Amino acid sequence: MIVPLLFAPLCLLMSVPVFIILRREPEGGLIGLAEKRLPGAVPAIAALYALLFLWAAAVNTARTALFVETVLFPDSRTGFIMLLLLIPAAYAASAGLETIGRTAFAVFVLSAAALLGTGAAAAGNFDLLNLSPPFMNGFLPVFLSAFHSVSRTYEIAALPFITGDVRRSVSKTALLWLGIISLTGTLLFTLSFGVAGAYGSNRLFLFFSVIRTASFGLLERPDPLISGLWLVCSFVKSAFFLFLACRLFCRLPAKKQYPSAPYLAALASAALAAAISPTADVLEKLLQSRFYEAVFPVFVTILPLLLLSADALRKRKNRRRTT
Amino acid sequence: MTAISEYPAENLRMLETMFGGSCDLITRELEEDGRKAGIALLDGMCDEMKITEAVLKPLAKKKQTDKSFAEEIKDSLYKGTEIGELHSMEEAADAVSGGNLVLFVRGSAKGLQFSVQGYPARAVSEPQTEQNERGSREGFTDNFKDNAALLRRRLRTPALIMERLTKGKTSHTPVLLCYVRGRADEKMLRQVRKKIENAQLDCIFGAGYLRPFLDSGRPSLFCTSGLTERPDTLAAMLSEGRIGIIVDGTPFAVIVPYLLSDYFHTVDDYLASPYYAVFMRALRMLCFLAATALPGLFVAVCLFHPEVLPSDILYEIAAAESKTPFPLMTEALIIHLIYEIVREAGLRMPVAIGHAVSIVGALVIGNAAVTAGLIAAPMLIIVALTTVSSSVISQLHEPVAMIRFALILVGGLTGFPGIVIGCAVILTDICSHSQFGVPFTAPLSPFSPSAQRDTLFRQDWKKLGGKAARIGEMRY
């Protein structure tokens, strides 16, 4: 329960350099700052982040495919599910960020309604005694758990690349987004552990296990419907990452838009997803590995910090020259 | 451009050549007061009474003055008739084609056109495609001038502007661009005008010819321009700052920009009590979902996720389906295809035979197919629900029918994941359109709380009447 509450402050703490960049370069974001201070490094930075987003799309797809394969269709082929998810996602990515945003809004409303409905339906199985004291084993495990969650939130790394498209205040939007995630996470975890208890800690798809216990009037088992909604969320997420990967890749040779780029990115992402998930065990080990904890700060904190340092150095040099 | 000759006979001969000796072209040479004139018109396109009263009689009574002959005629002829000057033979030919009478006078290198059209046209009647309970019974006709008058009667303000354009290389169809000055966004207006002007069309026989030029660039199942047969609907839309396009020869006017939410609104919503209007709007949205996804969902649930349904219902469905020879997906596709055939037949057949087609569709195909064990009753119930829902949102029939078939296929092949991904793609398609800067999904996404008073909800006129909605405010 405490883990999601720690999520927001930890996110904020790690993304301080990103927010500073957003204040300095509200239009251009991270790439805009790099173009001003380190023009030679722009292709490298763009390529690095593009690969990160391609990787994020692949992981998201692999995880969704694993879910479908293990829960919905045990006999289905992973490659087929990945393509079923990624090709439409590429279509959405080709439609642009505005389209993805509008779709995401509609999906958000549906998800919120589904969460409320499921929560209400599963509330009968909720038991306060199932919730253990959060700091029973000390603060460190709680902090590490929160860090584990944060390091899988690639959307923070996406913030400096979409600033030019955001019409309202970027900082306010980001804060609102963090607030919503924290609140939803808290509710989900509370509900899930309140229903599943200690049994929940070793479930691969905890929330799915919880909604299996719920029933809505005529619908005896709403889990396929809720799983469907989860698939749509995953589709939007993949579309967003593919869009970002394409936007950054398209900056490498020339600032041009390639209509087929999202589809190529989807294929690359599908190949990557297939490579990292030959079996459910391999994927799960990868998802639980410390690799994420190591890589994530590089993109969200260290690289933006380096750019800010370069910016500060260049400013100091300029000031010396003028004096 | 061919110049008009000072000799009327020469001009008439040239017109005859231009019309290729068409039998309905009437040309006459007249002699008045020792000076020669010539008239040309198309048989059946002009009102004979108007010709006599407005042109021939005044022409005979005309007295010779110091003015030029053409000026005299223009000044002395009946003022109630629209008169225009012609400067080339091409203009004269266009005027004749438009049902005008063209007059050439000796010694003048200009022609005169008299608006004496009298071609047969349908009278104002009740709209066929947009029935309502409490609103006006007047619908647009096929004549653009009548349509302009019907619109003007509802918006009696000089701010209502109608710009006349001519489109179609061969058809030279009059097109009216209508908007309310001060309410329609200037930039949007310029864009619409430019798009219509740039539309490369040989002939225009309906409003649908112009719609693809006005829609957003991305190919889509959904049209981002609307059609209406009702002058009151067009007037209401214009007052919101939208732009209307009236095309001669069709009772439908095009409305741009047209939003997704507009498909779920009707005239009766504004005449009924607000709570009932809100209920009906919600119902229409539900019908849209049912008409598109219900058969696909039914197929997916029965084939892949039977655990969702209560056991009693599941047993009934299984028992009924076990008696049919077709797999569930094939059965769904066949019966929907039959429905589309019956619908198409009902539309194209003469009215008298149309009823017979309905009876054949309902009784023979429906009842007999179930009795013979070709189709299961639960599937027939789903089809009935779907088609009735589809009729509620008849303007969306084209995309709904296509999506329905696609979702049956996807649901039958991939189950629920396929359905949801299919729905997500459709949602993406809907969200990807913007027309003249206004998102198709506005004001739902991007969400505008203030615009909800007449989108999902419909406030009371006491509140709604205070501040008129503006489409320009939804521009992004």
Side-chain angles (χ1 to χ4, degrees):
Chain A
M1 188 175 167
I2 295 295
V3 170
L5 282 178
L6 274 180
F7 178 88
L10 209 55
C11 272
L12 277 175
L13 198 69
M14 289 188 74
S15 47
V16 166
V18 168
F19 279 101
I20 296 173
I21 290 177
L22 293 184
R23 284 188 74 87
R24 287 198 190 163
E25 287 290 328
E27 286 293 316
L30 195 136
I31 293 286
L33 189 69
E35 273 173 346
K36 276 185 186 169
R37 301 300 172 212
L38 294 166
V42 170
I45 293 172
L48 268 176
Y49 277 97
L51 285 173
L52 175 80
F53 295 128
L54 215 55
W55 167 259
V59 169
N60 180 51
T61 309
R63 210 170 139 72
T64 311
L66 174 71
F67 170 73
V68 175
E69 207 181 318
T70 52
V71 175
L72 287 178
F73 296 118
D75 299 328
S76 59
R77 291 188 178 185
T78 319
F80 173 71
I81 299 164
M82 284 173 180
L83 288 177
L84 184 73
L85 196 75
L86 279 170
I87 304 264
Y91 167 74
S94 70
L97 189 62
E98 221 167 306
T99 302
I100 299 171
R102 283 179 213 151
T103 312
F105 178 75
V107 173
F108 168 73
V109 173
L110 286 174
S111 309
L115 278 180
L116 280 175
T118 316
N125 305 320
F126 186 87
D127 192 346
L128 268 177
L129 292 175
N130 282 334
L131 300 174
S132 53
F135 296 113
M136 198 166 61
N137 300 319
F139 179 76
L140 192 65
V142 177
F143 175 79
L144 285 177
S145 253
F147 186 62
H148 181 82
S149 299
V150 171
S151 61
R152 276 145 189 82
T153 313
Y154 292 102
E155 288 85 347
I156 304 171
L159 273 176
F161 302 102
I162 54 168
T163 45
D165 303 272
V166 179
R167 289 193 177 91
R168 292 173 190 167
S169 158
V170 178
S171 310
K172 275 183 193 169
T173 311
L175 286 174
L176 182 72
W177 171 76
L178 281 175
I180 290 170
I181 289 188
S182 305
L183 191 70
T184 317
T186 307
L187 284 172
L188 275 180
F189 272 81
T190 311
L191 176 75
S192 304
F193 280 101
V195 171
Y199 171 74
S201 55
N202 55 14
R203 302 304 300 166
L204 193 57
F205 301 107
L206 171 61
F207 188 62
F208 181 76
S209 306
V210 170
I211 56 171
R212 267 192 156 163
T213 64
S215 70
F216 295 94
L218 258 183
L219 293 176
E220 288 209 334
R221 288 266 306 273
D223 44 294
L225 301 177
I226 306 293
S227 317
L229 206 59
W230 193 64
L231 272 179
V232 179
C233 294
S234 177
F235 156 83
V236 173
K237 204 171 167 180
S238 292
F240 179 57
F241 288 136
L242 286 179
F243 168 80
L244 287 171
C246 292
R247 175 176 266 195
L248 289 165
F249 269 128
C250 288
R251 292 190 75 99
L252 295 180
K255 287 177 184 175
K256 268 173 81 175
Q257 290 293 318
Y258 300 97
S260 56
Y263 295 96
L264 292 175
L267 286 178
S269 200
L272 204 58
I276 61 170
S277 60
T279 61
D281 286 346
V282 174
L283 177 66
E284 203 43 39
K285 270 181 192 164
L286 184 78
L287 291 175
Q288 296 299 328
S289 71
R290 294 287 168 197
F291 167 74
Y292 282 92
E293 277 92 336
V295 168
F296 186 77
V298 173
F299 286 95
V300 175
T301 316
I302 297 170
L303 267 174
L305 211 57
L306 283 174
L307 262 176
L308 284 172
S309 311
D311 185 40
L313 278 174
R314 188 62 63 88
K315 274 183 183 167
R316 194 178 292 171
K317 264 187 188 177
N318 289 346
R319 223 175 290 151
R320 273 184 199 160
R321 266 185 213 158
T322 48
T323 50
Chain B
M1 298 289 253
T2 317
I4 293 172
S5 162
E6 290 188 358
Y7 299 97
E10 204 174 296
N11 291 331
L12 295 180
R13 268 200 303 282
M14 209 179 292
L15 269 181
E16 280 166 3
T17 315
M18 286 169 103
F19 278 84
S22 181
C23 66
D24 60 343
L25 178 72
I26 298 172
T27 54
R28 292 281 182 277
E29 283 185 60
L30 311 168
E31 193 166 341
E32 279 301 324
D33 213 10
R35 280 185 285 191
K36 287 184 176 174
I39 57 167
L41 65 140
L42 283 173
D43 193 16
M45 292 284 279
C46 302
D47 186 339
E48 283 174 22
M49 187 72 85
K50 275 187 193 170
I51 296 171
T52 315
E53 292 298 321
V55 185
L56 298 179
K57 269 190 187 173
L59 201 63
K61 287 178 190 166
K62 184 194 64 58
K63 296 279 181 276
Q64 199 172 342
T65 63
D66 293 337
K67 287 180 183 175
S68 75
F69 189 53
E71 287 293 313
E72 282 173 31
I73 293 168
K74 203 177 159 189
D75 288 349
S76 61
L77 288 188
Y78 181 52
K79 299 288 192 245
T81 306
E82 197 184 313
I83 302 174
E85 281 186 358
L86 303 166
H87 301 95
S88 69
M89 285 311 294
E90 284 77 13
E91 280 182 19
D94 283 348
V96 172
S97 302
N100 295 287
L101 180 142
V102 169
L103 175 78
F104 301 107
V105 288
R106 174 80 188 267
S108 170
K110 286 178 189 171
L112 289 173
Q113 67 167 20
F114 296 86
S115 185
V116 289
Q117 287 97 332
Y119 38 76
R122 195 166 55 88
V124 175
S125 61
E126 206 169 332
Q128 296 296 307
T129 56
E130 289 170 89
Q131 299 283 347
N132 78 107
E133 198 183 349
R134 300 178 192 175
S136 157
R137 295 283 187 267
E138 282 183 342
F140 281 133
T141 70
D142 298 341
N143 187 330
F144 79 106
K145 284 189 177 177
D146 292 347
N147 294 345
L150 285 169
L151 185 63
R152 179 73 69 182
R153 221 181 78 200
R154 281 160 180 85
L155 285 175
R156 297 176 193 203
T157 163
L160 172 63
I161 310 293
M162 296 194 195
E163 285 179 23
R164 187 174 164 162
L165 308 164
T166 306
K167 288 307 299 175
K169 275 182 195 165
T170 305
S171 63
H172 296 270
T173 311
V175 172
L176 287 182
L177 187 70
C178 319
Y179 57 91
V180 176
R181 193 179 45 214
R183 292 201 179 180
D185 187 271
E186 279 299 323
K187 197 178 166 192
M188 193 188 290
L189 192 62
R190 274 198 302 275
Q191 286 175 331
V192 173
R193 200 181 287 128
K194 196 176 168 190
K195 281 195 173 192
I196 295 176
E197 279 168 354
N198 291 345
Q200 295 293 319
L201 284 164
D202 188 50
C203 295
I204 304 181
F205 301 123
Y209 283 59
L210 282 175
R211 283 178 93 187
F213 296 96
L214 297 164
D215 280 345
S216 64
R218 284 175 72 86
S220 171
L221 288 171
F222 291 85
C223 261
T224 49
S225 58
L227 280 181
T228 184
E229 217 185 334
R230 303 185 61 89
D232 49 358
T233 301
L234 182 62
M237 295 266 183
L238 295 188
S239 70
E240 287 177 1
R242 301 189 208 221
I243 297 160
I245 297 140
I246 295 173
V247 179
D248 189 37
T250 170
F252 289 95
V254 183
I255 301 163
V256 284
Y258 204 71
L259 309 178
L260 180 70
S261 56
D262 293 327
Y263 282 110
F264 303 101
H265 296 178
T266 66
V267 175
D268 280 329
D269 289 353
Y270 299 94
L271 305 168
S273 53
Y275 57 84
Y276 184 70
V278 172
F279 170 64
M280 288 317 291
R281 283 180 182 181
L283 204 67
R284 277 179 220 122
M285 285 173 201
L286 204 66
C287 284
F288 171 69
L289 293 178
T292 47
L294 190 62
L297 212 54
F298 179 73
V299 170
V301 165
C302 288
L303 289 179
F304 295 94
H305 318 283
E307 72 272 15
V308 171
L309 296 170
S311 355
D312 297 346
I313 296 176
L314 191 63
Y315 289 143
E316 291 294 332
I317 294 171
E321 288 300 333
S322 65
K323 290 174 192 162
T324 63
F326 303 112
L328 200 67
M329 188 183 82
T330 318
E331 192 184 322
L333 286 173
I334 289 173
I335 197 153
H336 276 98
L337 204 65
I338 292 172
Y339 161 69
E340 289 299 327
I341 293 169
V342 173
R343 185 182 180 276
E344 188 62 13
L347 271 175
R348 310 287 160 221
M349 292 290 246
V351 179
I353 310 170
H355 296 301
V357 171
S358 309
I359 292 165
V360 169
L363 292 177
V364 180
I365 297 173
N367 197 15
V370 174
T371 315
L374 291 172
I375 290 161
M379 178 57 80
L380 210 63
I381 294 168
I382 294 292
V383 173
L385 268 175
T386 308
T387 51
V388 171
S389 303
S390 178
S391 308
V392 174
I393 33 139
S394 56
Q395 279 212 47
L396 282 169
H397 177 79
E398 292 167 36
V400 161
M402 292 293 105
I403 293 168
R404 192 190 299 145
F405 277 107
L407 289 185
I408 292 172
L409 269 173
V410 170
L413 294 173
T414 60
F416 208 72
I419 293 272
V420 288
I421 295 294
C423 289
V425 171
I426 294 159
L427 184 65
T428 307
D429 175 47
I430 290 173
C431 291
S432 69
H433 298 292
S434 269
Q435 207 188 17
F436 307 108
V438 182
F440 185 47
T441 47
L444 296 168
S445 179
F447 189 74
S448 163
S450 61
Q452 296 311 313
R453 61 200 198 116
D454 189 21
T455 307
L456 286 176
F457 305 99
R458 208 278 280 167
Q459 278 189 336
D460 192 81
W461 273 116
K462 284 179 195 166
K463 289 175 184 170
L464 204 60
K467 186 178 176 280
R470 296 278 189 282
I471 197 81
E473 288 167 9
M474 292 180 203
R475 272 180 74 112
Y476 275 82

